[in-house]
């Protein structure tokens, strides 16, 4: 119980009319009010007034704490059904989640939107996911640990981190999120929250594509001829950089406005996808590719296959129907040219590797634009439009 007692020596300092009409007898009386404070807690307010002589008042305000809410509240952005795009995103206030035994609670500083976020909203996995509505989207976040579960040993309150939340549970478009200790990595001071938030889905997908073809990043690997499509996007921009770190010869495609950017990331040759060469994926030497990292749904297997070397492989991160059928067909045939679909499976150690590359200046997060949390709907629309250069970041 918390008690606050005031003595007022002059009636002009606290007149009866400012508080409550005087009681008609000298015995204490009480009134009880139920207050609901959405930010802190629920209190029962008991006012006790005692009337004394000489026009003096003594009043006592006693706050009796009857219930502290299980969690304080936070701002979040949710959608309540499939479809609707940015217009269906609603600013809400919900309870701050409580970390379980192996989880940490992170106060989010930056988050990034991936195409998978709005594809899930459109019904990509309907009717199975999301598990329930309303749903708080986004998985890639960076921030500060503010609470840890009882069995967490790798982190402490105050640690700066970058996290990949469970894709099917989301939660990143909010002020706070709980995340598994296994999906959380320490973020050094040299890596900004925005640069870190771009890494989890896009960076790990690019890394997995390169590791799947045997790329080594210590200079011991075998060089290959690689094509990266949509190289100015989130995954593509990381893929170009990682491929060059692996010693590969890289041809890349992008729009004309981003040619200089992609070249600055290390690409040996850049094709404008609006030109005949870009649409056919032909490089200037006419040499076929050992591997193609396909980051766009706009290129089909019929275009990709002729550009592969005899044992060439397409690593497809955004397969369209044609490419899915090609993948299935390849399972049952003996064709030397293959198409493989990348399903992200890399975890904490790989994310730690990427954060280390950013810290060392060997890898950059290309940021298309930054939006304040209150303008998250605009960021969502920008991502849906599909012409972002690099990552779209939301800052708290």
């Amino acid at each position: 119980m918390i008690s606050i007692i005031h003595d007022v020596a002059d009636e002009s300092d606290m007149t009866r009319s400012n508080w409550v009409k005087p009681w008609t007898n000298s015995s204490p009386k009480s009134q009880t009010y139920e207050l609901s404070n959405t930010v802190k807690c629920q209190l029962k307010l008991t006012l006790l007034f005692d009337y004394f002589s000489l026009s003096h008042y003594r009043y006592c305000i006693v706050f009796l704490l009857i219930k502290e809410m299980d969690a304080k509240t936070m701002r979040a952005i949710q959608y309540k059904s499939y479809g609707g795009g940015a217009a269906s995103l609603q600013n809400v206030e919900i309870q701050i989640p409580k970390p379980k035994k192996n989880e940490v609670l992170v106060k989010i500083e930056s988050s990034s939107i991936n195409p998978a976020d709005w594809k899930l909203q459109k019904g990509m996995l309907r009717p199975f996911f999301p598990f329930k509505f309303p749903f708080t989207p986004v998985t890639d976040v960076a921030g500060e640990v503010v609470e840890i579960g009882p069995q967490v040993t790798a982190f402490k309150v105050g640690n700066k981190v970058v996290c990949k939340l469970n894709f099917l549970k989301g939660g990143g478009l909010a002020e706070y999120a709980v995340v598994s200790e296994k999906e959380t990595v320490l973020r050094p001071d040299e890596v900004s929250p925005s640069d870190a938030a771009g890494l989890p889905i896009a960076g790990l997908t690019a890394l997995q594509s390169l590791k799947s073809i045997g790329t080594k990043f210590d200079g011991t690997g075998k060089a290959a001829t690689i094509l990266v499509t949509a190289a100015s996007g989130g995954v593509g921009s990381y893929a170009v950089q990682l491929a060059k770190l692996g010693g590969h010869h890289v041809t890349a495609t992008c729009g004309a406005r981003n040619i200089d950017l992609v070249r600055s990331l290390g690409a040996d040759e850049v094709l404008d996808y609006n030109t005949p060469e870009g649409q056919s994926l032909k490089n200037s030497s006419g040499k076929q590719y050992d591997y193609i990292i396909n980051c766009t749904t706009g290129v089909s297997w019929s275009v990709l296959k002729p550009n592969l070397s005899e044992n060439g492989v397409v690593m497809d991160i955004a397969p369209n129907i044609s490419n899915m059928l090609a993948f299935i067909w390849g399972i049952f045939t003996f064709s030397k040219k293959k198409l493989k679909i990348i399903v992200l499976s890399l975890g904490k150690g790989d994310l730690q590797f990427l954060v280390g590359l950013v810290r060392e200046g060997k890898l950059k997060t290309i940021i298309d634009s930054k939006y304040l949390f209150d303008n998250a709907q605009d960021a969502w629309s920008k991502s849906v439009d599909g012409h972002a250069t690099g990552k779209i970041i939301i800052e708290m």
Side-chain angles (χ1 to χ4, degrees):
M1 182 169 68
I2 305 170
S3 299
I4 305 173
I5 301 177
H6 295 273
D7 288 320
V8 182
D10 189 320
E11 185 174 351
S12 64
D13 295 333
M14 184 65 71
T15 65
R16 299 177 186 178
S17 61
N18 288 338
W19 280 84
V20 64
K21 293 182 179 180
W23 305 109
T24 57
N25 57 56
S26 60
S27 61
K29 298 203 174 185
S30 69
Q31 279 188 295
T32 300
Y33 303 85
E34 194 73 26
L35 300 180
S36 177
N37 187 322
T38 59
V39 177
K40 296 183 178 179
C41 56
Q42 292 180 334
L43 301 172
K44 181 177 287 186
L45 174 62
T46 302
L47 303 179
L48 300 175
F49 295 88
D50 196 2
Y51 182 74
F52 290 91
S53 59
L54 301 176
S55 299
H56 291 162
Y57 287 92
R58 173 167 297 188
Y59 59 93
C60 173
I61 304 178
V62 180
F63 293 91
L64 179 61
L65 182 61
I66 62 170
K67 178 182 178 183
E68 183 173 355
M69 294 173 66
D70 291 337
K72 298 179 181 181
T73 59
M74 65 177 181
R75 293 181 299 156
I77 293 176
Q78 298 181 328
Y79 54 86
K80 295 183 177 181
S81 63
Y82 293 111
S88 69
L89 299 181
Q90 298 181 353
N91 294 71
V92 298
E93 190 171 288
I94 59 176
Q95 287 190 347
I96 296 176
K98 192 77 174 175
K100 297 178 181 178
K101 59 182 180 180
N102 293 315
E103 294 179 330
V104 296
L105 176 65
V106 176
K107 183 178 182 181
I108 297 173
E109 298 174 75
S110 295
S111 59
S112 69
I113 298 175
N114 294 289
D117 295 320
W118 50 263
K119 289 180 180 179
L120 188 65
Q121 182 199 29
K122 289 180 70 174
M124 176 177 67
L125 299 177
R126 185 176 186 170
F128 305 105
F129 302 104
F131 290 113
K132 61 180 181 179
F133 294 106
F135 183 73
T136 305
V138 174
T139 60
D140 296 3
V141 302
E144 179 179 340
V145 175
V146 294
E147 187 177 348
I148 61 174
Q151 295 185 16
V152 171
T153 58
F155 301 97
K156 61 183 180 180
V157 172
N159 283 156
K160 299 291 187 177
V161 293
V162 54
C163 318
K164 179 171 72 68
L165 281 64
N166 185 302
F167 171 66
L168 299 177
K169 294 182 180 179
L173 213 51
E175 291 183 290
Y176 296 86
V178 288
V179 58
S180 169
E181 182 181 22
K182 296 180 180 180
E183 301 293 343
T184 305
V185 171
L186 288 172
R187 174 173 59 85
D189 292 338
E190 297 90 339
V191 181
S192 72
S194 295
D195 287 340
L199 286 172
I201 295 294
L204 287 174
T205 300
L207 180 62
Q208 184 169 329
S209 299
L210 271 301
K211 291 181 73 172
S212 295
I213 62 176
T215 303
K216 305 292 184 182
F217 301 97
D218 58 2
T220 62
K222 181 180 178 180
T225 301
I226 291 180
L227 171 69
V228 179
T229 64
S232 60
V235 177
S237 59
Y238 286 129
V240 169
Q241 296 175 77
L242 291 170
K244 291 306 296 180
L245 284 174
H248 299 307
H249 182 280
V250 178
T251 300
T253 69
C254 65
R257 66 187 176 93
N258 291 318
I259 287 178
D260 289 341
L261 168 66
V262 174
R263 189 174 285 118
S264 74
L265 298 179
D268 298 285
E269 185 174 356
V270 185
L271 307 175
D272 177 357
Y273 62 67
N274 287 315
T275 64
E277 294 78 15
Q279 291 176 359
S280 63
L281 307 180
K282 304 292 184 183
N283 56 45
S284 59
S285 67
K287 189 175 182 179
Q288 293 177 312
Y289 307 106
D290 299 314
Y291 303 100
I292 298 175
I293 299 175
N294 183 40
C295 304
T296 176
T297 58
V299 182
S300 66
W301 174 241
S302 62
V303 176
L304 295 166
K305 185 178 179 180
N307 287 288
L308 289 172
S309 59
E310 183 179 2
N311 295 297
V313 179
V314 173
M315 313 303 295
D316 202 334
I317 73 160
N320 53 34
I321 294 178
S322 168
N323 294 359
M324 287 182 181
L325 293 174
F327 166 70
I328 295 171
W329 179 254
I331 296 175
F332 300 102
T333 65
F334 298 99
S335 173
K336 293 182 179 180
K337 297 183 180 183
K338 300 288 187 180
L339 184 146
K340 297 182 180 180
I341 295 175
I342 297 296
V343 178
L344 182 60
S345 60
L346 299 188
K348 182 171 183 172
D350 298 290
L351 182 56
Q352 208 158 20
F353 172 70
L354 292 178
V355 171
L357 291 179
V358 175
R359 180 179 61 82
E360 295 167 7
K362 297 179 179 179
L363 184 69
K364 295 189 295 184
T365 296
I366 304 303
I367 297 177
D368 175 274
S369 49
K370 296 180 181 180
Y371 295 82
L372 294 177
F373 182 78
D374 290 338
N375 298 322
Q377 288 85 350
D378 295 334
W380 195 267
S381 292
K382 176 75 172 180
S383 181
V384 173
D385 286 344
H387 296 289
T389 301
K391 298 297 298 178
I392 297 171
I393 304 295
I394 298 172
E395 297 182 325
M396 299 303 298

